[in-house]
Structures are given as C-alpha cells and as structure tokens.
C-alpha cells in the first residue's frame, strides 16, 4: 500500500468533496450544452433530454441510497444523521436550481428557437379547428379505450403510481358538465381527487400539422401536441356527471436501487424478476408536479405519497423531459442538427475473413465512435460461421435491444460451437433485457453463467479459440465499452483486438476463474478486480513518487468516469506533495480536491462533455520515460475495485501507447468543451485567451484523415504536452 494509516493522518480530515454534489455539477455541465447557442438546435434539445434522464437515475439511485443511509443512522449519534440530512438538503437545493435553469432554457430559449425554425409544441388553446378535430378523433379512438382513472379516497389506500410514469391529477366535484369549470359553488359538494395514468406505450408527442398553418404568426410548419395536453383537455369523457376544477401532470420517482443476496445461479433469474417488480413500487424519493398546480393539489399529492416539502419539485416545462432525446432524432424536422460524424473504417484492418490474419499479425487498437465498431461485430460473425472456430467465451454487461452480438452468439451455438456467455443480470436498468437474452442464448445451446456470487461482472472481454493451419489459435478483444452496437455510436471507448499469447493465456485463466472454481494464476498482462487491482494502481503511483524522489520527474495522467476511492485519492495527494504531476480527466463524480496548496497543488482535474459520452478509461504512468499505459473497464471507485469483476490491460505496442498519450494530450488541451474542476467542486471554463481547440472534433478529423491518407500512419503532428513534468 502506498499510504499507511500514519500517512493518512498527516492529511487534512476535510479532504474529500461531496459525491452527490460533484455529480450534480457534472449534470449542470450537461445542461450547459443545452443552453449553448453555438450548438445546433436539435443537439441542444438532445442534451436537455440527457440532463433529465441523468437526473432521473440520480434520484432513483443516489438520493434513494442516502435516504436508506439516513434511516440506518437513526440509531447512531445525531451528528451522523445530521450530516446525511444536510447532504440531502443540499442536493435538493442544487437540484431545484438546475431544474429551474432547465425550465428556463426550454421556455425562454429552446422552444422559441424551435418555433423560429419551424417546429412548435402547441397547447389546446393554440390549435386550429382541423387540428382540434384530429386530436378529438385520436383521443376517442386511440386513447380513451385504454385510459383508466383511479379514484383517491381518504379512507382507502392510495392507488398504485408506478415509478416515473406520467400521471394527471384531477380535482373534481359532482354536478355540471365540461372541463376546467369554475370553482364557485364547489363547496356545495365534496371535492374528489383522481389519478389518470398516461399509457406508457402511447407516443409522448403527436404531430398535428405538417405544413404552414394559417394564422400561426411564428411560421412553424411542424406542430406537435404532448400526450398530457391532449388527454388533459378531454378528461370530461372520463368523468361524466362531474365538473373538473383542476388538472395537473405529476410523476413520482421511486427508489430503484437493487442488490441481491448471494444467490445460487439457478435462483438469480428469479431474484432479478422480483427486483424488476419491486422497482416499480419502491419508496418515493421525488414528486414532480407541474408549476401550474395549485398549492392545494400539490399538498394532497405530497400527503398521498408521504414526501417531504423539499422532495417536491415544480416544473414549468414538460415533465418527463427524457423524451427530448428521442424527439431530437425525429427525421425531417427543419431545425438545425449537428454535423454528422459517422464512424470511419480503420484502413489498417482488411475486409472479410482476412481479419484473422490481420489480428494474428499484430494488435489492433480502435477508438470508437470515431472508428467503426464493425471489426468487433465482424470478428463475432466470422467466429459464428468459421468451421475452424471451436469455442467462444464472452462477457455481456449491457447490450442493445436488437443485439447483433447476441445473434452472432446464438448462431455460433446453433452451429455446434462451444459458446460460453457470462451475462450480468444485475446491470442496472438493463436487467430485464439481459434476462430475455439469457433465455434466448440457452435455447440456442449456449452455456449461460452469471458470474461470481456477490460481485457484478463489469469486465469487457471476448476470447475465441480456433483451429488454424498450425494448430490452436486464440483471438481476444478487451475494451472499455459494452458490447452494444448502439452505444458504440454514442460513447467514446477503446477496443483492443489481439492474438498475443500472454494476453490470451491470461483471458483463458480469467474465464476459468469467473465461470468455474479455478484459483487465479499470476497474470502475465492482465490486472483484475477485486483481486489486486487497487494494489496494482497504488504500486504504480508509488513508483512515480519514488522516481520523483530519485530526481526523475514523475507524472500520472488518467481518464475515468468517476474518482471516489479514498485510498487512491490519498495516494494521489501524497504524490502531489512529493512533486509528482497529476492530470486527471474525470467525467462525473470526483471526491478529490485539486489545486489545494500543501495538499494537491500539483493535481489538475478536467471534465469534458461533448456530443459523445466520454466512457473510456486510460491510465498513464511516466515511469522515468518508459511510459506504461493501461486501458480497462474500471473506474477508481470502491465498487469497481472491491465489488465488481473488472479487467485492466497494458498496451505493449509503442504506436498504441503513443496514440493513447495523444488522446490524453487532446483532452487536456481542449478549450471549448472541457472545464476545470475546482477545489470546491464547481466547474470553470478554460482560459479563453488560448486558441479554440475541441478534442472530439480533433478525434473525428483524425479518423477521417486516416482513411484519406492511410500511408501517414504516425499522425503525430498534434503534440500539445501542456504539462510536461518539471
């Protein structure tokens, strides 16, 4: 270990930031992309949807976890309970600030800009007669038959409201006809409350006009109505004999975290099925209500779901803003879109079954989505059909809904090959899909296993065993991203294709460990969590400290999604104190406080949010000039190092090491989309006096240049080593 308990005692006790608040800073950075007018309009709309989707998951997991902690601390000293309660209060305050900013971005900026470019969301009062007639027919024929109101009675249990499902709350009294009637005289009859769940399978929006509409002064040619407005304006058909006083959309966010006990494999499928049912009805952690809702209605909803005042979130814009991600992809909209950056083929990788020889000749490194994921898919398709392939072993964590990967594995099993799939059933929010894939693979004849008890298997690895002309051959893929061809178009990740004997031997042993009862052997190249990966990283950090002490400049550069492991953070603090330069690219939560005199003045943290989600993990240690570079599936988080099966692999090819160094160079040089992470957890724009440089745009152009000029394979013109070691 790099630090002893005595070493840690020399560090200040308040040396860690709040995890949840730094994550909210990251999501605020996502919201910046929605606000940034230099982005294409539909790209901004997409980022608004990403912001809301991120926030949903944050409440379901992180806020729910803190609420569990608060309950667990009830028997502990009051100071601990107060700390968690204060954290929840700070989260609520910051989240409401962000939601207000998101609402303003939509109402004051994005919606008007869409109208100017020909796209408008219309309310009932804005409809033309022919549009109203169309929606009346649609409501009567398509929606009314599947709508089911639920009465809310004081003496009866509150009707079930599923997690994240959009509902309408309706206040009404007996007597009169029509909707939105006056409340005068309402006290003559007792007021009623009802919930109307909006059908999940109905479109969130519907087009009501496809050409310029007469009288529409803003000239919008594409007009859309939201589901809640269409239903809300026609609720009289559901409540005959009642007068509607008020209608307001609302939504409940529930605790959706889940952990199985150590199940036997045959019980795990059933455990996951039960979890999926429980997720829909977990304890409420957030109540979202339209800003237009009266205080009386909001109070009744809060009482019905037993939420505290700070857990109520009022939104001026549409609820369930996740739909903006899908809306931004609607084809044919006249609003501006981001320039297309389609994945480029790697000119060094030949077509067809020559892929076998190409990988056998030397390792291949792919940088997605700038370079196509197709070689990985082709490798699997070839393996499924090649009569020489004997076995395929693969880990699946997240896959797409129409997975080509799973189809190739099915085909391989049907063709008589020994197919073994370690499928992680507990991949959060992908559990249901993975259960279905497990059954399909088993039906095809594959052996499906679920990993090690008590651990999630998060590693990204594939091993193919083939009989070639000279005997048994092995081919490997190790990456930082999931085997998901859809996210391979949206996430920035790395893939290593290799036939290296040491790597393939390690993977053979690794699969024996995670699928059977084999004890792990000393690794030749791989490092594995939870079996020594933290110790590996701590040792590499210690080596840089020792290099620095011996007069050689030490330097550590790393890229990851989150930095939460306190042992590694303390080791980085000690390295900074020793004079080692530390540059970190952390996308999300970060507990480390950079730039603090006497603690971390040699540490810089940068976060980057752009059109592709930064998902790759890269770890670089200068090692006196003989630089070591690793890629893998693990972040520097306790869950990755202690409670997950992870893999990290060093890159041995000098060209690949140099390429990864250039990727880090570009990220740390970005002045357009990168932000500096400050000691208080806030984010600041980079020095505006520097020449604009956008890393992801550079990566895309570099991939295009490789195709246009494959002979220029070095591509080393970009060398902005912005923080060379002293």
């Amino acid at each position: 270990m790099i630090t002893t308990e005595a070493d840690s005692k020399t560090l200040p006790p308040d040396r860690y930031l709040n995890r949840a608040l730094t994550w909210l800073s990251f999501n605020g950075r996502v919201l910046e992309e929605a606000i940034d007018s230099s982005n294409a309009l539909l790209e901004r709309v997409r980022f608004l949807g990403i912001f809301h989707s991120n926030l949903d998951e944050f409440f379901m997991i992180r806020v729910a976890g803190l609420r569990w902690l608060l309950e667990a601390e009830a028997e502990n000293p009051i100071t601990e309970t107060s700390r968690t309660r204060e954290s929840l209060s700070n989260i609520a305050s910051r989240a409401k600030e962000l939601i207000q900013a998101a609402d303003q971005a939509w109402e004051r900026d994005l919606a008007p800009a869409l109208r100017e470019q020909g796209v408008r969301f219309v309310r009932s009062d804005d409809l033309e007669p022919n549009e109203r007639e169309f929606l009346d027919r649609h409501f009567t024929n398509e929606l009314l038959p599947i709508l089911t109101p639920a009465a809310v009675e004081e003496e009866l249990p509150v009707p079930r409201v599923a997690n994240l499902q959009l509902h309408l709350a309706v206040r009404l009294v007996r007597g009169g006809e029509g909707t939105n009637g006056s409340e005068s005289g309402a006290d003559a009859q007792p007021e009623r409350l009802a919930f109307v769940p909006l059908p999940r399978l109905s479109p969130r929006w519907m087009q009501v006009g496809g050409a310029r509409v007469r009288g529409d002064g803003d000239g919008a040619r594409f007009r859309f109505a939201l589901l809640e407005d269409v239903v809300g304006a026609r609720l009289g058909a559901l409540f005959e004999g009642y007068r509607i006083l008020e209608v307001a959309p609302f939504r409940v966010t529930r605790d959706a975290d889940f952990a199985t006990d150590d199940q036997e494999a045959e019980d795990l499928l059933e455990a996951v099925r039960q979890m999926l049912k429980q997720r829909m009805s977990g304890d409420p952690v957030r109540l979202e209500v339209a800003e237009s809702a009266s205080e009386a209605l909001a109070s009744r909803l809060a009482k019905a779901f037993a939420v505290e005042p700070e857990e109520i979130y009022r939104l001026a814009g549409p609820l369930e803003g996740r739909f903006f991600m899908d809306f931004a992809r609607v084809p044919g909209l006249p609003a501006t879109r981001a320039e297309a950056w389609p994945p480029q083929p790697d000119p060094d990788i030949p077509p067809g079954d020559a892929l076998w020889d190409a990988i056998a000749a030397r390792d291949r490194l792919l940088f997605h989505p700038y370079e196509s994921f197709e070689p990985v898919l082709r490798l699997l398709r070839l393996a499924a059909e090649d009569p020489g392939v004997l076995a395929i072993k693969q880990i699946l964590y997240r896959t797409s809904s129409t997975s080509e990967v799973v189809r190739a594995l099915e085909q391989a099993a049907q063709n008589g090959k020994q197919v073994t799939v370690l499928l992680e059933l507990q991949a959060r929010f992908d559990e249901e899909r993975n259960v279905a894939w497990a059954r399909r693979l088993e039906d095809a004849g594959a052996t499906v296993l679920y990993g090690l008890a008590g651990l999630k298997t998060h590693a990204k690895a594939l091993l193919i065993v083939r009989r070639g002309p000279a005997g048994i051959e092995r081919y490997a893929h190790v990456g930082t991203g999931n085997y998901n061809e859809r996210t391979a178009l949206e996430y920035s990740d790395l893939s290593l294709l290799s036939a290296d004997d040491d790597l393939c031997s390690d993977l053979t042993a690794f699969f024996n460990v995670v699928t059977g009862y084999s004890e792990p052997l000393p690794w030749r190249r791989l490092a594995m969590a939870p079996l020594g990966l933290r110790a590996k990283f701590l040792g590499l950090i210690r080596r840089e400290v020792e290099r620095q002490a011996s007069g050689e400049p030490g330097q550590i550069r790393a890229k990851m999604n989150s930095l939460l492991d306190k042992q590694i953070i303390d080791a980085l603090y000690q390295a900074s104190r020793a004079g080692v330069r530390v540059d970190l690219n952390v996308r999300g939560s970060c507990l480390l406080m950079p730039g603090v005199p006497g603690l971390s003045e040699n540490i810089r943290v940068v976060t980057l949010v752009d059109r592709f989600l930064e998902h790759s993990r890269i770890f670089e240690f200068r090692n006196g000039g003989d630089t070591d570079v690793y890629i893998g599936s693990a972040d520097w988080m306790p869950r990755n190092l202690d409670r997950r099966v992870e893999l990290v692999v060093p890159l041995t090819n000098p060209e690949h090491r140099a390429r990864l160094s250039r990727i880090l160079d570009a990220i740390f040089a970005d002045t357009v989309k990168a932000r500096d992470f400050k000691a208080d957890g806030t984010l600041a724009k980079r020095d505006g006096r520097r020449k604009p440089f956008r890393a992801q745009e550079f990566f895309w152009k570099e991939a295009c240049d490789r195709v246009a000029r494959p002979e220029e394979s070095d591509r080393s013109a970009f060398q902005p080593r912005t923080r060379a070691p002293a």
Side-chain angles (χ1 to χ4, degrees):
M1 296 251 320
I2 185 170
T3 57
T4 65
E5 185 176 349
D7 292 331
S8 296
K9 288 181 179 178
T10 67
L11 299 172
D14 55 346
R15 60 188 182 273
Y16 308 119
L17 292 168
N18 181 285
R19 171 182 179 178
L21 293 179
T22 64
W23 184 92
L24 285 173
S25 292
F26 153 71
N27 208 32
R29 175 68 191 92
V30 172
L31 183 59
E32 280 186 36
E33 291 299 295
I35 297 171
D36 186 352
S37 60
S38 68
N39 290 331
L41 182 53
L42 288 177
E43 186 75 352
R44 297 171 63 191
V45 172
R46 182 177 76 92
F47 272 107
L48 183 62
I50 294 171
F51 165 82
H52 283 291
S53 178
N54 287 346
L55 208 58
D56 285 349
E57 184 170 338
F58 174 75
F59 274 91
M60 287 189 288
I61 303 303
R62 188 61 192 158
V63 174
L66 286 171
R67 284 191 45 155
W68 275 102
L69 181 61
L70 187 65
E71 294 180 15
E73 290 173 344
E75 303 299 323
N76 290 346
I78 190 66
T79 53
E80 294 298 321
T81 303
S82 297
R83 187 176 296 118
T84 305
R85 195 180 303 279
E86 180 183 7
S87 181
L88 284 167
S89 178
N90 291 336
I91 288 169
S93 177
R94 178 59 179 145
K96 288 178 179 179
E97 290 176 2
L98 290 172
I99 289 170
Q100 183 179 20
D103 278 346
Q104 291 177 352
W106 172 250
E107 296 286 340
R108 301 179 186 179
D109 188 359
L110 293 175
L114 284 169
R115 286 198 295 271
E116 290 176 5
Q117 294 193 18
V119 179
R120 180 175 181 180
F121 286 91
V122 293
R123 297 288 183 90
S124 182
D125 294 342
D126 301 321
L127 293 171
E128 293 289 318
N130 62 318
E131 295 174 332
R132 185 171 287 105
E133 291 172 5
F134 164 76
L135 290 179
D136 287 343
R137 289 194 303 272
H138 180 81
F139 176 82
T140 301
N141 297 331
E142 301 291 334
L143 297 175
L144 184 58
I146 55 177
L147 292 174
T148 305
V152 182
E153 300 286 356
E154 291 286 346
E155 63 274 13
L156 296 175
V158 176
R160 177 178 176 273
V161 170
N163 183 35
L164 298 183
Q165 185 175 5
L166 197 58
H167 285 66
L168 297 178
V170 188
R171 292 173 54 221
L172 61 166
V173 294
R174 184 183 294 277
E177 297 180 355
T179 62
N180 300 321
S182 167
E183 294 196 40
S184 59
D187 55 356
Q189 294 287 341
E191 182 179 304
R192 305 291 187 184
L193 178 66
F195 297 159
V196 179
L198 299 184
R200 291 179 179 272
L201 297 181
S202 295
R204 184 71 172 78
W205 65 87
M206 53 205 72
Q207 188 172 351
V208 296
R212 188 179 300 277
V213 178
R214 180 176 55 82
D216 190 3
D218 54 25
R221 302 187 302 279
F222 287 77
R223 292 159 59 88
F224 299 90
L226 291 176
L227 179 63
E228 59 267 36
D229 294 331
V230 173
V231 175
R234 294 163 177 80
L235 283 176
L238 291 175
F239 299 102
E240 293 291 343
Y242 281 80
R243 179 155 44 93
I244 295 175
L245 305 176
E246 181 181 4
V247 179
F250 76 94
R251 191 172 72 137
V252 174
T253 308
R254 297 183 179 276
D255 177 358
D257 206 358
F258 158 70
T260 63
D261 295 329
D262 289 353
Q263 307 278 341
E264 294 296 331
E266 58 266 25
D267 297 330
L268 190 54
L269 275 170
E270 183 58 31
V272 171
R273 289 194 185 97
Q274 291 302 316
M275 174 276 302
L276 290 170
K277 295 177 182 178
Q278 295 166 7
R279 177 171 286 164
M280 302 303 294
S281 57
D283 292 337
V285 296
R286 177 180 60 163
L287 171 64
E288 295 173 282
V289 187
E291 189 178 65
S292 60
S294 66
E295 284 298 328
L297 179 56
S299 296
R300 289 198 67 178
L301 292 173
K303 181 181 178 182
F305 301 111
V307 297
E308 300 294 330
E310 67 181 16
E311 296 170 328
I312 304 172
Y313 292 77
R314 286 183 170 270
L315 279 76
L319 273 67
E320 198 192 29
R322 298 176 299 170
F323 80 90
F324 286 122
M325 287 191 291
D326 292 326
F327 183 79
R329 299 188 181 101
V330 171
L333 295 180
T336 56
R337 298 180 185 274
E339 175 191 358
W341 287 357
Q344 299 297 297
D346 188 321
D348 294 335
I349 296 181
D353 59 6
L355 183 60
W356 296 120
D357 293 336
I359 297 174
R362 63 182 176 88
D363 289 358
R364 308 288 169 152
L365 181 67
L366 299 173
F367 190 15
H368 314 302
Y370 315 102
E371 293 172 337
S372 175
F373 192 65
E374 188 274 339
V376 181
L377 296 175
R378 177 153 47 102
L379 182 65
L380 275 164
R381 289 194 292 263
L382 285 173
E385 299 294 340
D386 190 318
V389 169
L390 306 175
I392 303 173
K393 305 178 184 184
Q394 186 165 14
I395 295 170
L396 295 182
Y397 187 75
R398 297 190 193 279
T399 58
S400 68
S401 57
T402 57
S403 176
E404 291 185 44
V405 172
V406 174
R407 283 204 294 268
L409 293 170
E410 282 183 298
Q411 187 63 50
Q414 290 165 356
N415 288 344
K417 304 176 191 309
Q418 180 63 41
V419 176
T420 303
V421 178
L422 198 156
L423 195 149
E424 181 49 72
L425 289 179
Q426 299 177 66
R428 187 176 283 152
F429 303 120
D430 271 14
E431 300 95 345
E432 188 169 14
R433 179 182 298 162
N434 285 0
V435 167
W437 287 135
R439 290 305 189 205
R440 280 189 54 172
L441 286 166
E442 288 178 336
D443 290 344
T447 300
V448 180
L449 302 170
Y450 307 115
L452 301 172
L455 300 173
K456 279 188 180 182
T457 304
H458 188 247
K460 325 298 181 186
L462 163 68
L463 182 67
I464 297 170
V465 182
R466 178 175 184 254
R467 187 180 299 281
I472 294 296
E473 304 168 347
R474 290 180 293 190
Y475 299 84
H477 171 268
V478 179
T480 66
N482 300 302
Y483 292 102
N484 184 324
E485 57 270 25
R486 176 175 176 179
T487 57
L489 298 172
E490 301 171 349
Y491 290 13
S492 176
D493 272 307
L494 293 156
S495 282
L496 178 67
L497 297 169
S498 177
D500 177 81
D501 284 341
D502 287 343
L503 177 58
C504 290
S505 293
D506 277 359
L507 281 177
T508 299
F510 166 77
F511 276 105
N512 290 338
V513 169
V514 296
T515 64
Y517 292 105
S518 174
E519 291 292 326
L521 300 173
W523 306 113
R524 302 177 189 180
R525 286 187 59 185
L526 291 179
M528 175 184 171
L531 303 176
L533 185 55
R534 179 188 284 106
K536 173 75 172 179
F537 282 129
L538 291 174
L540 292 168
I541 296 170
R542 163 59 65 188
R543 189 178 63 184
E544 294 303 307
V545 173
E546 292 170 350
R547 291 282 193 180
Q548 185 76 31
S550 67
E552 296 179 351
Q555 185 174 44
I556 299 166
R557 301 198 301 173
K559 179 181 185 299
M560 67 202 75
N561 296 335
S562 296
L563 174 54
L564 304 177
D565 190 82
K566 293 181 178 179
Q567 291 185 55
I568 288 183
I569 291 172
D570 284 354
L572 294 172
Y573 284 149
Q574 298 286 12
S576 173
R577 284 179 158 186
V580 176
R581 295 281 190 176
V582 180
D583 291 318
L584 305 172
N585 170 225
V586 183
R587 188 190 77 206
S589 298
C590 177
L591 301 189
L592 184 146
M593 304 168 65
V596 177
L599 177 68
S600 58
E601 64 266 36
N602 289 314
I603 302 178
R604 173 178 62 162
V605 180
V606 169
T607 189
L608 179 69
V609 174
D610 204 341
R611 66 186 297 177
F612 299 133
L613 180 75
E614 290 295 334
H615 191 253
S616 58
R617 289 90 166 177
I618 306 173
F619 308 98
E620 180 189 81
F621 302 87
R622 188 172 184 272
N623 190 28
D626 186 17
T627 305
D628 287 336
V629 188
Y630 300 78
I631 65 170
S633 60
D635 293 310
W636 282 348
M637 300 174 64
R639 76 178 187 190
N640 296 94
L641 301 175
D642 297 327
R643 302 189 298 278
R644 288 188 173 187
V645 176
E646 306 276 9
L647 286 178
V648 170
V649 59
L651 277 291
T652 58
N653 184 306
E655 287 186 14
H656 295 165
R657 291 202 300 264
R659 189 178 187 197
L660 291 177
S661 290
R662 289 198 302 274
I663 290 172
L664 293 175
D665 289 342
I667 286 171
F668 290 120
D670 190 301
T671 59
V672 178
K673 298 296 186 179
R675 299 290 185 270
D676 286 317
F677 194 87
K678 311 303 287 185
D680 62 357
T682 59
L683 303 176
K685 288 188 175 182
R686 315 297 299 280
D687 188 348
R689 295 169 295 179
R690 296 167 59 187
K691 182 179 178 180
F693 177 79
R694 183 181 175 190
Q696 289 197 356
E697 183 179 35
F698 168 76
F699 298 144
W700 155 248
K701 290 180 177 178
E702 182 185 57
C704 293
D705 287 344
R706 295 188 72 198
V707 176
R709 294 184 294 275
E711 68 280 359
E712 299 177 16
S713 59
D714 184 30
R715 299 173 300 280
S716 58
F718 178 71
Q719 297 288 350
R721 263 278 182 202
T722 53
R723 285 195 58 178

